[in-house]
Amino acid sequence: GFHNFMSHSPQIIFFMGIAGSGKGTQARLLNDTNGFELIETGTILRKIAGEDTERGKSIKKRLDDGQHMADEEITPLIEEELESLLKEKEHIIIDGYARRKTQAQDAIELMRKLKISDVSVVLVEVSDDIDRKRMESRQRHDDTPDAIKHRLDYFHDSVEPAIAHLATAFKLVTINGDQPEDNVHKDIVKALSL
């Protein structure tokens, strides 16, 4: 019942990091070993893109074209997913959302609306040089020098201001992502007192 829902205090973590930072791996490690549920924006979008609905077709088209989604589309999807998870779970990671300042503001308002006060932002920070080397060595077909430069630029121009904005409302935890992934995981667990 309602009372039951109010009696536990959810913990939300926004995962941030540039492509190649290994943040996806870290989110999955917390999911496997620390029982966090995972909300991955990309996964939600692909799921909806598979639906035979107006919304599904519209999202599919833009995913296929590699376009960014509008905030007013993404935020309700995150909210929907979060509210359904919160019925049973209280430790939730949100990955791939609030990567621009307007979305960060939406995220702050959403947490207020849901009355969630235990919110952290985990930034897996990697130096540009190491990140570039990692992306170059992944051998993915979309890891061209131009694409890599674009990702680094996008991170610095869009994501960093979004993180700074989130940090005005939530606890920001910066983790050294240049280390091996086991160490990164240990640092996250320690920083969040899990």
Side-chain angles (χ1 to χ4, degrees):
F2 183 70
H3 174 75
N4 184 11
F5 173 74
M6 295 313 289
S7 66
H8 69 210
S9 52
Q11 177 186 22
I12 307 288
I13 303 175
F14 287 91
F15 252 74
M16 307 300 265
I18 194 166
S21 64
K23 76 176 168 67
T25 305
Q26 292 303 325
R28 282 188 291 276
L29 277 171
L30 283 181
N31 175 250
D32 294 342
T33 55
N34 304 81
F36 274 81
E37 288 300 306
L38 208 44
I39 295 180
E40 287 178 307
T41 310
T43 308
I44 293 173
L45 288 173
R46 285 188 293 276
K47 187 173 79 185
I48 291 169
E51 292 171 3
D52 192 16
T53 58
E54 281 310 304
R55 181 168 82 164
K57 289 185 187 118
S58 148
I59 284 179
K60 181 177 183 338
K61 185 181 182 322
R62 267 156 320 153
L63 281 182
D64 291 346
D65 297 344
Q67 293 174 359
H68 283 296
M69 304 282 160
D71 296 338
E72 55 272 16
E73 283 179 297
I74 299 254
T75 298
L77 300 180
I78 298 290
E79 181 170 0
E80 221 170 273
E81 190 77 7
L82 191 54
E83 290 195 309
S84 101
L85 278 179
L86 283 169
K87 291 189 179 84
E88 297 154 25
K89 305 288 181 187
E90 45 185 48
H91 302 285
I92 298 168
I93 290 170
I94 301 177
D95 186 15
Y97 174 64
R99 288 169 60 79
R100 36 183 194 259
K101 199 172 173 182
T102 46
Q103 261 181 31
Q105 182 55 35
D106 284 351
I108 291 170
E109 285 165 18
L110 179 57
M111 294 300 123
R112 277 192 198 130
K113 180 176 158 188
L114 296 175
K115 299 190 164 44
I116 298 173
S117 56
D118 185 357
V119 187
S120 311
V121 179
V122 168
L123 169 58
V124 181
E125 204 169 45
V126 183
S127 53
D128 281 5
D129 286 349
I130 289 189
D131 198 59
R132 199 176 283 112
K133 286 195 186 81
R134 277 190 196 166
M135 286 197 269
E136 283 163 1
S137 66
R138 290 198 304 195
Q139 302 287 302
R140 284 191 356 199
H141 67 90
D142 55 348
D143 284 339
T144 61
D146 266 3
I148 290 172
K149 182 183 181 319
H150 175 74
R151 269 181 234 144
L152 289 167
D153 288 347
Y154 177 74
F155 186 76
H156 296 309
D157 298 344
S158 170
V159 186
E160 282 179 347
I163 293 168
H165 191 57
L166 289 173
T168 62
F170 310 137
K171 178 178 131 180
L172 175 62
V173 174
T174 304
I175 303 290
N176 171 8
D178 290 347
Q179 349 168 53
E181 59 187 41
D182 289 354
N183 300 32
V184 177
H185 177 71
K186 284 196 190 94
D187 281 359
I188 293 173
V189 167
K190 198 163 73 185
L192 296 171
S193 325
L194 299 178

